[in-house]
Amino acid sequence: MRDALCARRLEDRVELGWQSCFGRCTRGPNVLIGEQLSPPPTMMRRSLATPAPRRARAALYNHVTPRDCPELIDEHIIAGRPVARLIEPKPA
């Protein structure tokens, strides 16, 4: 994930974090992507694998592999489109 972020020069705008449990170990590895508003308030940030309140733009991805990381960054973080194939149960 870090390599894909650096390749897109997003390391200053996206925060990587770690969380020990999402309660979905059988669906792991899991990645949580959600918006985070931090100072300055006009700058939108994204947060990976950190606790975040549920928002329409947040998604918990399941069975994530290194090959999925560029797609998650390009689609969810950059374009704002969650990647439905990596969300269980599948969104309606």
Side-chain angles (χ1 to χ4, degrees), residues 1 17-33 48-50 59-65 69 72 86-88:
M1 188 67 77
W18 180 84
Q19 181 165 336
S20 64
C21 183
F22 290 112
R24 294 185 172 206
C25 292
T26 60
R27 296 178 184 175
N30 300 294
V31 173
L32 176 64
I33 298 178
L48 302 177
T50 58
L60 179 59
Y61 294 102
N62 312 115
H63 304 290
V64 176
T65 68
C69 294
L72 289 174
L86 293 173
I87 300 172
E88 292 180 6

Side-chain angles (χ1 to χ4, degrees), residues 35-64:
E35 287 183 343
Q36 176 181 338
L37 295 176
S38 11
T42 58
M43 183 178 158
M44 180 85 63
R45 292 181 57 89
R46 301 280 182 170
S47 179
L48 302 177
T50 58
R54 281 272 187 201
R55 293 191 179 112
R57 294 185 184 145
L60 179 59
Y61 294 102
N62 312 115
H63 304 290
V64 176

